[in-house]
Amino acid sequence: MANTRTKEHTALLNNVGWLIRQYRKERGYTLEQMAGMLGIRKQSLGHMELGDRSISLYRAVRICEVLNIDINRLVYARPSSSIHRHSSARIRRNKAAGDAPTAGPQG
């Protein structure tokens, strides 16, 4: 089955991933520490933070438990302009490395 990710889905994943990263950093957790708390590989968490990987409801709840935040703070948060800067910088890195961009700024 082909990847049929919509612009809205991509924007949501970018926003949620960016927020997870911000809350993780605010709590002082490294990628490796938080991944260990979640029982996943740090690469998997990194992909979630970049918006490259969808997050199951179970995983979203676990992330919120570890970060001690309400799930509404991830799902209903308004996108920040810094999310778009984060995505744009990632696209530039991918293009410089010769990779196709997997996500970009939305809307």
Side-chain angles (χ1 to χ4, degrees):
M1 175 185 261
N3 184 353
T4 57
R5 189 183 288 183
T6 64
K7 288 172 66 171
E8 292 80 13
H9 185 213
T10 298
L12 177 64
L13 289 177
N14 284 339
N15 190 45
V16 168
W18 184 85
L19 288 167
I20 290 169
R21 182 173 189 262
Q22 295 309 306
Y23 286 121
R24 174 180 62 78
K25 288 185 163 208
E26 283 178 13
R27 306 304 187 265
Y29 299 140
T30 65
L31 198 60
E32 190 168 7
Q33 288 170 330
M34 187 162 152
M37 290 182 239
L38 293 168
I40 61 175
R41 296 177 319 130
K42 69 179 182 178
Q43 293 85 351
S44 295
L45 180 56
H47 284 292
M48 288 179 208
E49 288 185 358
L50 291 172
D52 289 342
R53 184 165 293 161
S54 291
I55 302 170
S56 69
L57 180 58
Y58 169 79
R59 183 73 63 216
V61 169
R62 282 290 300 129
I63 288 169
C64 290
E65 288 172 350
V66 166
L67 295 173
N68 195 30
I69 60 171
D70 187 279
I71 196 163
N72 290 316
R73 294 184 79 179
L74 291 182
V75 177
Y76 296 110
R78 290 273 186 221
S80 165
S81 61
S82 55
I83 295 169
H84 300 300
R85 288 192 301 275
H86 169 73
S87 297
S88 297
R90 189 162 155 255
I91 288 171
R92 285 192 299 277
R93 278 195 317 273
N94 287 343
K95 284 182 179 177
D99 297 336
T102 55
Q106 301 297 318

